[in-house]
Structure formats: structure tokens, C-alpha cells
């Protein structure tokens, strides 16, 4: 039985084949497959399986890097389609996103950023490995409605807490709502550090932001 386009995307990520990922992403668009489905049911599944193998020591950093690059290559084709899919809308609000200090994971955060833009939010994506001081400076500079902190490492989650504490010290905690996400984070962790919300995936992140902005 020929593998589905989702299985082909998953295999291309597992093999770390960036070129094949790009080709298959284009093929999925030709087949009128919703870009977010190709990401969720194909690319993200591939990178998750590499991550699981990495945690069991069955693959090593190079495979992780190649899988991440392959996923990003596929997303470079699909994310613009998600953005284009939504007609011009008035801005629903301003969201600033970044991955915390010491953490260079970007893929999940960038999907969240794209979905928020497609939904009609203005998104300021300040990248990865962002120090807590820079987060505070950028909040002062841009006055976002929402600040989103992504962390993919257990070791960097404390930086999410530190940003919230520093915003509080700077008298900014009531001026911006802080949400967190990233694979190891949980709702309990969000409550413990005084975040305004937590989301386990990009789609729920958009719902959470709409709720928080709506409730402003
Ligand atoms: Co890294 N890495 N990695 N890695 N890596 C993980 C996270 C890991 C879980 C793999 C494992 O061991 N199973 C593990 C962390 C273990 C832990 O601490 N709990 C790990 C490790 C250990 C490492 C290194 C330390 C490896 C090493 O060097 N020894 C190193 C750390 C470097 C650093 O950050 N300082 C490292 C490096 C990397 C790469 C850079 C090679 C690469 C990232 C490439 C890139 O992002 N540009 C990479 C990758 C690809 C992974 C895995 C395989 C996949 C992550 C990913 O992109 N998932 C990952 C394994 C895993 O997560 N199971 C792993 C796909 C993406 C769509 O999902 O990122 O979860 P995710 O995002 C989701 C949700 O989390 C949510 O929505 C997204 C879309 O649905 N979300 C938010 C994300 N951010 C959000 C923010 C929000 C709301 C929702 O609001 C603000």
C-alpha cells in the first residue's frame, strides 16, 4: 500500500531529508491538504519520533539537528500558505513571542506565531535564547497585550518564572498577560509561576490568546 502523504512527510523528517520535505510539502499543497494538517500529522509526528528515539539514546544529536532542519524546510513551504489563507483582518491584538534564555528550540514557537498571524494578530517574534532582561526591555518597547514564553527544556523552564518576576519588579506585570508553552511545561507550572495561561499546542495557544485579549 502506498504511504499517505502524511507518512511520507513523517519519514522524510525522520530521515532528515530537507529537500524531500520541501518537495512533499509542495505535493501536499497540490493535493489540497490543509497546511496545518500536513504539519501536525506529518512533519511534527516525524520530529516527535526522532525526539523519542533521542531520549532513548537510539539516535544522536546529529539526527535531532537534521530532523529539526528537515521540519523547518517543510514548514518554510507550508507556513506562508497558512498566513495567506486568512484574508486581511483588523489586528486583534499584539503578541510578543520568544524562547527563553539558554533554549534554542524554535519550531513550535514559530508555528504558534504563524497561526496567531493567520488569525489576525500582530506578532513580534523575538527569537530564541532570549535573556530575561531582553524580554523586559522588549515589553517596555512594544507594549504587547500578550507575552508568550516558549521553553522546550526542563533546565530552561525556570527562566519562564524569572521573566515573570522581572516584569513584576519593573511594574509591568499588570500591563501584559504572560502565557507559557513548550513540551515539558504544564498548566500546573503556569499556575505555580503566576503565568496568565498555558497552552499545550499551537491551536490551543491561539484560543487562549483570543480569550485573554477578549477578556482585557
Ligand atoms: Co531538542 N530536546 N535538544 N533539539 N528537541 C527536545 C526538546 C527533547 C524533549 C528531546 C528528548 O530528549 N526527548 C529534549 C529535552 C528534554 C527535557 O529537557 N525535557 C531535548 C534536548 C535534550 C536537546 C539538547 C539539550 C540536546 C543536546 O544538545 N544534548 C539540545 C538543547 C539545545 C538548547 O536549546 N540549548 C537540543 C537541541 C535541539 C535542536 C536545536 C537540534 C532541535 C531544535 C531545532 C529548532 O527548534 N530549530 C531539537 C529538536 C528538533 C527537538 C525535538 C526532537 C522536537 C522539538 C520540536 O520542534 N517539536 C524535541 C523532542 C520533543 O519535543 N518530543 C527535543 C515539534 C514542535 C511542533 O512541537 O516544540 O513541542 P513543540 O511545540 C508545540 C507545543 O509545545 C506548543 O505548540 C507547538 C506546536 O504545536 N508550544 C507552545 C510550543 N511553544 C509554545 C509557546 C506557547 C504556547 C504553546 O505560548 C508561549
Amino acid at each position: 500500500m502506498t504511504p499517505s502523504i502524511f507518512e511520507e512527510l513523517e519519514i522524510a523528517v525522520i530521515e532528515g531529508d530537507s529537500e524531500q520535505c520541501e518537495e512533499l510539502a509542495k505535493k501536499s499543497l497540490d493535493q489540497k491538504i490543509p497546511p496545518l494538517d500536513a504539519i501536525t500529522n506529518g512533519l511534527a509526528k516525524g520530529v516527535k519520533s526522532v525526539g523519542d528515539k533521542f531520549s532513548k539514546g537510539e539516535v544522536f544529536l546529529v539526527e535531532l539537528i537534521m530532523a529539526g532542519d528537515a521540519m523547518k524546510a517543510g514548514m518554510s513551504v507550508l507556513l506562508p500558505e497558512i498566513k495567506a489563507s486568512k484574508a486581511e483582518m483588523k489586528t486583534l491584538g499584539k503578541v510578543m513571542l520568544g524562547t527563553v534564555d539558554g533554549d534554542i528550540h524554535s519550531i513550535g514557537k514559530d508555528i504558534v506565531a504563524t497561526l496567531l498571524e493567520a488569525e489576525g494578530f500582530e506578532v513580534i517574534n523575538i527569537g530564541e535564547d532570549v535573556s530575561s532582561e531582553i524580554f523586559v526591555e522588549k515589553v517596555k518597547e512594544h507594549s504587547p497585550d500578550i507575552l508568550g514564553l516558549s521553553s522546550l527544556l526542563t533546565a530552561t523552564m525556570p527562566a519562564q518564572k524569572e521573566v515573570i518576576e522581572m516584569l513584576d519588579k519593573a511594574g509591568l506585570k499588570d500591563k501584559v498577560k504572560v502565557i507559557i508553552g513548550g513540551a515539558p511545561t504544564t498548566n500546573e507550572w503556569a499556575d505555580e509561576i503566576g503565568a496568565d495561561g498555558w497552552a499545550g499546542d499551537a491551536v490551543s495557544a491561539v484560543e487562549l490568546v483570543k480569550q485573554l485579549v477578549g477578556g482585557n
Side-chain angles (χ1 to χ4, degrees), residues 21-83:
C21 269
E22 244 179 85
E23 281 318 305
L24 289 167
K26 286 176 192 147
K27 185 176 156 194
S28 73
L29 294 176
D30 296 342
Q31 292 179 0
K32 305 278 176 262
I33 294 193
L36 189 59
D37 289 357
I39 292 176
T40 316
N41 304 326
L43 298 174
K45 275 180 84 174
V47 91
K48 172 125 184 38
S49 99
V50 173
D52 294 346
K53 289 196 179 97
F54 176 79
S55 59
K56 291 180 218 139
E58 292 163 8
V59 297
F60 301 97
L61 188 56
V62 65
E63 283 86 0
L64 208 54
I65 294 172
M66 288 180 69
D69 289 347
M71 171 147 193
K72 289 181 83 166
M75 277 174 30
S76 68
V77 171
L78 297 168
L79 291 187
E81 294 300 316
I82 295 178
K83 272 188 212 164

Side-chain angles (χ1 to χ4, degrees), residues 47 51 54-55 61 64-65 68 71-72 97 102-109 111-112 148-150 152-154 179-184 199-202 205:
V47 91
F54 176 79
S55 59
L61 188 56
L64 208 54
I65 294 172
M71 171 147 193
K72 289 181 83 166
L97 289 176
D103 195 327
I104 60 171
H105 294 83
S106 60
I107 296 173
K109 163 182 63 72
I111 296 176
V112 174
L149 305 173
S150 189
L152 270 291
L153 301 172
T154 320
I179 65 171
I180 66 164
D201 61 57

Side-chain angles (χ1 to χ4, degrees), residues 83 91 93-99 109-110 112-114 116-117 120-128 130 134-135 137-150 176:
K83 272 188 212 164
T91 307
K94 192 190 286 186
V95 182
M96 178 177 285
L97 289 176
T99 307
K109 163 182 63 72
D110 292 354
V112 174
T114 300
L116 283 168
E117 277 174 341
F121 287 94
E122 179 192 349
V123 176
I124 302 165
N125 187 341
I126 58 174
E128 303 73 53
V130 180
I134 298 283
F135 273 115
E137 254 173 61
K138 293 284 182 190
V139 165
K140 276 187 195 146
E141 187 186 336
H142 294 282
S143 318
D145 302 298
I146 307 277
L147 171 65
L149 305 173
S150 189
V176 61

